[in-house]
Amino acid sequence: MKRTSARQTLDRRQKIILTVVAALTAVGLVFTPRAVALGIMVLFMVFQLLFVGLKVTAALRSRDYSFPSVREVPEDSLPRYTTLHPMYREANMIPLVVESMSSMDYPKDRLQCLLILEENDPETIEAARAANLPEYFEIVIVPRMKPYGKPKACNYALEKATGEMVVIFDAEDRPDPQQLRKAVSAIRSSNEPIGCVRARLVFENQDTTWVSRFLGNEYIVHFEFIMAGLAKMGLVLPLGGTSNHFPMAVLKELAFSEEDMPDALGIPAWDPYNVTEDADLGAAIASRGLKTVMFDSWTDEEAPVTVGAAFNQRTRWIKGYAQTSLALLKHPIRDAGRMGWLKYSCFLLTVGGTFLSLLLAPVFWAMTITYFIAKPQFIIALFPLPLFYTGLLLMVVGNLLMLYMSLVAALHRGIFSSVKYLAFSLFWWMTLSTAAYTSLLELVFPSWRPTWNKTAHGVVYVPLWKRLLPLASQHSPRIGILEKNQLAS
């Protein structure tokens, strides 16, 4: 069964459709501007209703979601497990990876941990070879071939995997020590065919800066409200990049064919041209009639603590959501037929809607502010005021509902100190919209398209007051707010 890669942003048919729509819109704006503006406003209102409505519905349904029951799996029937650890310029993180996997409650004779390193990263390779790695660790060096990035590295390592089960853990991940056992139990206790079981992701440093607080709240809303609600409704889950547990047989079944990916390395289960490779894989799982479920486990991660780091991360994620949506829109009838029209539409609304909403938000906010300050005649002439105010109401209510979910998320996890920061949500949303426009530019310009905005791991925050004190020199020999966590020393 064919899969569609994000290698080509738009195919010929999509380019033709986009050109025709743009041309008709331009002609309409010249000859019937009021009708076109009216149509755009109606489309925006319908989109806003559906996008926010799906999120709110999922959040409400998450209250009824019950995790698969955890059953004791006999020791002698535990499968062999392969954990993939893609790393790039993260020599300082090797001790943490070893520590995290050493604390995993799983028979080590049935555990294979693959450190996936890039050929053009000699520092991390040297550190891995110098480390006293346990015998269940192996070093996999990925050849220097384009496209670079995590999905290609995991595909290459997958060919060397010997486990019946496979999971990716990022360099900074600290998974629940019981997570592998719980994943096996979740799959075996299901009465339906399972393609993936996934754990929640939690930021262990959420209360470090205002940026990490917003990111932490987003994680709570996403994993504990939206994802759980989507799972409850039987819809497609946009998988995150870590703590997704797959049967090896499923990954092989989902792999791109040689015809689709002639230059692929290893077993191309992940799309090497998609920067949110697991979101795409979630759709592929649903297309084959398999189910993805959340199970009661967690993985501690490290949140970016500066605007720049968060901006780069969100730019990558938003671009990947757009890539995933455009890939699914290349053959909509085929993919919707496989997945089911409701699941297909809701998945596009979840991933593509996130990208589109962040692009539209600044436009409509600017139009609204301009109207109330200057009351320009062109807005009054183009938009009937009842319709304009209805659209404004939907936008305001939608944003208030998103803010309310963030508030509930903070209170739900007992992170009361984050509540006051939600007053600055508008600034954070502006940052996300800027990231969306940056990702759009990266998609439009071919030379920008392969950009992989890597998130640095193993950093600690040095507050301003420490940097201003003479003692700050003991934290870092340079002026800055981030320093490498010297785990390797």
Side-chain angles (χ1 to χ4, degrees):
M1 189 180 289
K2 280 181 172 288
R3 285 176 62 189
T4 305
S5 169
R7 181 173 192 164
Q8 187 179 18
T9 301
L10 296 173
D11 63 13
R12 184 172 177 272
R13 179 169 39 189
Q14 288 175 312
K15 290 177 181 177
I16 292 173
I17 292 173
L18 189 62
T19 302
V20 170
V21 170
L24 290 176
T25 303
V27 171
L29 287 173
V30 172
F31 293 101
T32 57
R34 185 179 176 85
V36 172
L38 186 65
I40 291 173
M41 178 62 80
V42 170
L43 286 175
F44 166 72
M45 291 168 60
V46 172
F47 166 72
Q48 185 78 355
L49 272 173
L50 293 174
F51 180 68
V52 176
L54 178 60
K55 285 199 166 189
V56 172
T57 303
L60 292 173
R61 293 298 304 275
S62 68
R63 296 179 299 179
D64 302 323
Y65 184 73
S66 56
F67 293 111
S69 57
V70 178
R71 302 174 184 173
E72 187 68 28
V73 179
E75 199 83 4
D76 57 359
S77 70
L78 287 171
R80 184 162 177 79
Y81 229 111
T82 296
T83 63
L84 306 179
H85 305 270
M87 305 176 71
Y88 184 64
R89 295 181 180 174
E90 294 175 308
N92 62 309
M93 300 301 291
I94 290 174
L96 177 61
V97 173
V98 173
E99 178 189 338
S100 297
M101 299 315 299
S102 298
S103 64
M104 192 66 69
D105 180 17
Y106 204 82
K108 298 303 186 285
D109 61 341
R110 269 166 276 181
L111 190 59
Q112 179 195 34
C113 301
L114 300 181
L115 291 180
I116 311 171
L117 314 178
E118 299 282 352
E119 185 181 17
N120 61 344
D121 181 16
E123 181 183 353
T124 307
I125 293 174
E126 182 181 346
R129 287 174 172 167
N132 184 24
L133 297 176
E135 59 182 10
Y136 49 90
F137 270 81
E138 299 176 33
I139 298 173
V140 177
I141 299 178
V142 183
R144 187 181 305 186
M145 285 180 59
K146 291 183 179 180
Y148 301 120
K150 177 179 173 181
K152 184 203 73 174
C154 290
N155 286 337
Y156 182 75
L158 201 60
E159 199 167 47
K160 305 178 188 308
T162 59
E164 297 174 47
M165 293 287 298
V166 178
V167 63
I168 297 175
F169 289 127
D170 286 339
E172 87 280 18
D173 285 353
R174 287 182 176 271
D176 163 19
Q178 295 288 321
Q179 189 171 124
L180 302 186
R181 289 179 181 267
K182 290 178 180 178
V184 173
S185 173
I187 288 180
R188 292 186 179 177
S189 63
S190 175
N191 295 321
E192 300 177 271
I194 297 293
C196 173
V197 294
R198 73 151 297 120
R200 304 186 306 279
L201 301 183
V202 180
F203 283 140
E204 61 181 353
N205 63 331
Q206 177 172 342
D207 59 354
T208 305
T209 67
W210 71 268
V211 173
S212 64
R213 290 177 186 276
F214 274 108
L215 295 176
N217 269 9
E218 280 188 356
Y219 258 34
I220 298 169
V221 171
H222 183 67
F223 287 103
E224 301 194 22
F225 298 166
I226 307 300
M227 294 279 276
L230 293 175
K232 176 63 180 179
M233 293 188 288
L235 298 176
V236 184
L237 273 62
L239 301 176
T242 176
S243 304
N244 304 303
H245 299 254
F246 307 96
M248 181 64 166
V250 169
L251 287 178
K252 288 183 176 180
E253 180 187 343
L254 297 175
F256 288 91
S257 65
E258 187 175 344
E259 177 187 350
D260 296 328
M261 201 73 63
D263 56 350
L265 290 177
I267 301 173
W270 291 276
D271 184 353
Y273 297 93
N274 191 326
V275 296
T276 52
E277 68 290 339
D278 275 323
D280 163 72
L281 200 54
I285 288 171
S287 295
R288 281 149 182 80
L290 303 173
K291 191 174 181 181
T292 298
V293 299
M294 303 281 291
F295 70 104
D296 193 12
S297 185
W298 72 92
T299 297
D300 285 330
E301 288 203 309
E302 175 190 317
V305 294
T306 65
V307 175
F311 179 84
N312 286 339
Q313 184 188 71
R314 288 306 189 261
T315 299
R316 185 177 79 247
W317 290 4
I318 294 167
K319 179 170 73 171
Y321 271 17
Q323 288 180 308
T324 300
S325 302
L326 291 172
L328 283 174
L329 286 169
K330 287 183 171 69
H331 303 282
I333 296 176
R334 182 197 73 185
D335 290 332
R338 291 174 179 174
M339 199 181 301
W341 281 95
L342 178 62
K343 291 181 179 179
Y344 176 81
S345 301
C346 288
F347 183 74
L348 278 180
L349 191 60
T350 301
V351 293
T354 299
F355 176 66
L356 184 58
S357 68
L358 291 172
L359 292 180
L360 289 176
V363 175
F364 283 94
W365 274 115
M367 188 183 300
T368 301
I369 293 170
T370 301
Y371 170 76
F372 282 107
I373 291 177
K375 294 193 182 298
Q377 287 301 311
F378 81 91
I379 293 181
I380 299 173
L382 287 178
F383 301 105
L385 288 185
L387 184 67
F388 182 84
Y389 284 118
T390 302
L392 174 62
L393 179 65
L394 285 172
M395 184 172 64
V396 171
V397 170
N399 281 286
L400 286 175
L401 285 171
M402 296 299 103
L403 181 61
Y404 177 71
M405 278 199 279
S406 292
L407 175 62
V408 172
L411 298 177
H412 173 71
R413 288 288 301 278
I415 311 174
F416 305 110
S417 59
S418 293
V419 172
K420 60 179 178 289
Y421 292 90
L422 296 178
F424 303 98
S425 292
L426 183 59
F427 177 76
W428 177 245
W429 293 338
M430 289 170 56
T431 302
L432 295 179
S433 288
T434 306
Y437 277 97
T438 303
S439 68
L440 178 63
L441 291 174
E442 291 181 358
L443 289 173
V444 169
F445 295 103
S447 61
W448 292 19
R449 204 166 295 155
T451 302
W452 187 280
N453 296 299
K454 178 78 170 62
T455 304
H457 296 141
V459 295
V460 293
Y461 181 68
V462 181
L464 178 63
W465 66 269
K466 284 190 176 181
R467 284 182 281 144
L468 297 177
L469 291 175
L471 291 177
S473 59
Q474 72 184 11
H475 293 280
S476 176
R478 52 174 168 56
I479 295 178
I481 59 171
L482 294 179
E483 62 182 2
K484 282 286 184 181
N485 186 1
Q486 301 298 323
L487 292 171
S489 59

